[in-house]
Amino acid sequence: MAIFAGMKLQRRSAYISRNLQAQSAFRLILEAHGVGVEGQSLIHFKPVPFGVVPDADWVFFYSPRAVRFFLGNLPHPLSPEVRLGSIGPSTAQAITDMGYQVAFTGTGEPETTADAFAEVANGQRVLFPQARHSRQSVQKKLGSIIKSTGIIVYDNRPAADFPLRCPEVLVFTSPLNAKAYLSRYEILPGQQLVAIGNPTASACRSFGKEPVMASAPNEEALAQAVLHCLADK
């Protein structure tokens, strides 16, 4: 594990484990408060070819990336009778951006989303396009309530090397990102962690670090969590 020997924290700065667009809400909110922002995913993504798509009543997506890798590489169009579901608003937006309609949008949290999805998909066939290392959170929560099938559409592996500065606040947007960072770098005195949700918080705790939890799994809530951390200093 690497240690930032002799390095000092960059005051009023935050790192988030995703690549940010110029108009990212996370970036805009924090920069408006004078906070420096760095965004870099610690995960490498690669499409995985898939052939025959199993018959299903629903296709449920865990992430915008799953949407793009699946809908963008379909060997043939989906039947118009197949309904599309998403774990949260950002994934629903990705479906819409691909020209499809969304029949179900979750909260972004697996447990509450699974409970709500069970009410509309009970006993039906649900296809889950996913990463090779997916936690399959909604599938596992629903169990036999639905007839689920997973299909791997992309690979997600931690980056082997990533140079980072020393921000005051580290924001992790997935368990895999948290594990990639915390298995490589020590946390400096005074640094605080923010987790996007319970699974990511659990990943932080597995390294003995207690994060601040965002109030919702979106960039606005993550930015507010960062401001809360900085206000405590």
Side-chain angles (χ1 to χ4, degrees):
M1 180 178 291
I3 301 175
F4 290 110
M7 297 187 73
K8 296 182 179 180
L9 290 183
Q10 296 174 336
R11 296 299 176 187
R12 294 195 67 76
S13 64
Y15 158 79
I16 185 170
S17 63
R18 65 172 50 162
N19 300 323
L20 297 176
Q21 297 181 354
Q23 296 303 308
S24 155
F26 183 84
R27 182 187 298 280
L28 293 176
I29 292 170
L30 291 182
E31 289 183 346
H33 286 81
V35 179
V37 176
E38 177 186 8
Q40 178 190 11
S41 175
L42 305 181
I43 309 301
H44 289 316
F45 302 98
K46 181 180 179 181
V48 173
F50 57 93
V52 177
V53 176
D55 292 335
D57 303 300
W58 286 86
V59 178
F60 186 97
F61 296 98
Y62 284 116
S63 69
R65 190 167 283 105
V67 171
R68 292 190 289 270
F69 281 125
F70 180 74
L71 295 180
N73 294 288
L74 282 172
H76 53 77
L78 289 174
S79 165
E81 296 180 357
V82 176
R83 287 166 288 179
L84 305 185
S86 70
I87 195 167
S90 62
T91 302
Q93 184 61 54
I95 295 172
T96 301
D97 291 344
M98 294 288 289
Y100 291 82
Q101 292 186 337
V102 183
F104 172 86
T105 302
T107 64
E109 280 290 342
E111 290 195 5
T112 54
T113 296
D115 290 340
F117 189 57
E119 296 182 7
V120 297
N122 192 336
Q124 298 183 53
R125 300 168 300 171
V126 184
L127 179 65
F128 290 85
Q130 58 197 240
R132 189 180 301 280
H133 302 288
S134 171
R135 292 179 292 108
Q136 301 181 336
S137 53
V138 173
Q139 285 165 272
K140 291 179 179 178
K141 179 73 165 58
L142 290 174
S144 61
I145 294 175
I146 60 171
K147 301 171 184 176
S148 68
T149 302
I151 182 171
I152 296 172
V153 297
Y154 69 99
D155 201 0
N156 54 337
R157 296 183 180 276
D161 186 30
F162 43 89
L164 290 177
R165 297 191 291 270
C166 303
E168 272 194 278
V169 185
L170 300 167
V171 181
F172 295 118
T173 54
S174 74
L176 202 55
N177 272 292
K179 291 176 181 177
Y181 187 95
L182 296 174
S183 63
R184 180 172 177 80
Y185 292 116
E186 289 279 2
I187 299 302
L188 291 174
Q191 270 187 327
Q192 295 192 64
L193 310 185
V194 171
I196 195 171
N198 286 317
T200 304
S202 295
C204 293
R205 294 185 189 112
S206 71
F207 287 87
K209 308 301 179 183
E210 184 62 37
V212 172
M213 282 280 292
S215 61
N218 57 53
E219 289 197 357
E220 291 83 356
L222 290 170
Q224 292 302 322
V226 170
L227 293 174
H228 174 76
C229 290
L230 296 176
D232 286 344
K233 296 189 175 182

